[in-house]
Amino acid sequence: QGKLVESGGGLVQPGGSLKLSCETSESIFSMYAMGWYRQVSGNERELVGYSSIGGTTHYADSLKGRFTISRDYAKNTVYLQMNSLKLEDTAVYYCNAYFVEGGHESEYWGQGTQVTVSS
């Protein structure tokens, strides 16, 4: 089984909401920044946003106000709450865990979950 296990993707109508989950181990959750990326077929993977170990969040400018990332420290899970979804939000969403310190770098990816916004 992968280090990051995603769930919550699916089909949603424009204007609707969806919440993605990404569960990992306690060691990764406590040491890694946790984030979300998305990728449309044929395009490069793009950053949605991320949460630092302490919970500080950063988002892509185009998604601010609609997407929210949060951490549940009891469940070692990071969430991506997506509101007011648009057709162009359709993509495969990937959970990411990233660590860098003292020249050492480590990264993990989830398996990806499909989000389709369609009427």
Side-chain angles (χ1 to χ4, degrees), residues 14-79:
S17 297
L18 206 59
K19 189 174 185 177
L20 307 183
S21 301
C22 174
E23 183 178 1
T24 187
S25 67
E26 182 178 0
S27 59
I28 290 176
F29 192 80
S30 64
M31 295 177 61
Y32 286 62
M34 302 292 296
W36 292 91
Y37 286 72
R38 67 184 186 182
Q39 187 171 25
V40 176
S41 180
N43 292 357
E44 291 187 358
R45 196 169 294 187
E46 63 174 4
L47 175 69
V48 172
Y50 64 85
S51 167
S52 69
I53 297 170
T56 302
T57 52
H58 170 85
Y59 301 96
D61 287 342
S62 62
L63 301 177
K64 287 180 180 177
R66 293 196 300 122
F67 287 18
T68 303
I69 294 172
S70 60
R71 285 180 177 250
D72 186 330
Y73 293 87
K75 297 181 178 180
N76 300 320
T77 299
V78 62
Y79 301 100

